[in-house]
Amino acid sequence: MNREPVGAKARIFASTSFLTLGVVVNTLIGILIARTLARHLGVAGYGQYALAFVFLSFTGVLVNFGFDTILIRELAKDEENANALLTAGIVPKLLFAAGAVGVGTLYILSRGFPPAYTGAAAALLLTHFVAAFDTFEVAHKARLRGG
């Protein structure tokens, strides 16, 4: 019979409690931010804000396109070539980010939104280029699964 030491159970409980507390705090902060934004922006402004994040979410699917899952698998198999694999993971994500930003910007421009909103939404789409570099987080996950 495989029994865990009492100390391990206490660490697992403490870690789980800490993560749960983090989720609760994160949710409460999100609710407060949404409430503040809704009051400050008004109905129409908050609707445009939400729409911009819908664009960001839809185009975000195009950027990731499953690359992270494949990269985790490959890094777990072959840690020796981690640098080459990370580079190979970043390049297609950057190319897909460029495509997603282009498609998203063209769509926003075609909808006839006010210029300030169009510029802000297009600038928000540029965050996809930053997301392409979250590949290093993928490397960490691969080490956790592989080790």
Side-chain angles (χ1 to χ4, degrees):
M1 186 172 192
N2 188 7
R3 296 186 59 121
E4 292 182 29
V6 176
K9 287 181 181 179
R11 280 195 321 272
I12 291 170
F13 179 77
S15 295
T16 303
S17 299
F18 184 72
L19 287 172
T20 302
L21 179 65
V23 168
V24 169
V25 168
N26 193 23
T27 301
L28 290 174
I29 290 171
I31 289 170
L32 289 173
I33 289 172
R35 180 176 173 236
T36 303
L37 280 171
R39 285 185 173 201
H40 178 72
L41 297 175
V43 175
Y46 190 74
Q48 287 182 340
Y49 169 82
L51 184 62
F53 277 93
V54 167
F55 290 141
L56 187 66
S57 297
F58 282 144
T59 55
V61 172
L62 297 174
V63 174
N64 188 8
F65 210 66
F67 292 125
D68 289 350
T69 305
I70 294 167
L71 192 56
I72 287 172
R73 183 190 69 210
E74 295 304 316
L75 283 169
K77 280 194 241 179
D78 187 10
E79 271 192 49
E80 292 177 10
N81 292 322
N83 289 338
L85 289 169
L86 286 172
T87 302
I90 291 172
V91 170
K93 284 178 81 173
L94 285 172
L95 293 173
F96 274 66
V101 169
V103 167
T105 302
L106 288 175
Y107 180 77
I108 290 168
L109 288 171
S110 73
R111 304 305 296 169
F113 290 116
Y117 176 78
T118 302
L124 185 62
L125 289 171
L126 293 175
T127 62
H128 287 314
F129 288 110
V130 175
F133 289 97
D134 71 356
T135 305
F136 297 106
E137 178 185 343
V138 170
H140 177 67
K141 287 179 183 177
R143 268 191 229 111
L144 290 176
R145 290 184 184 185

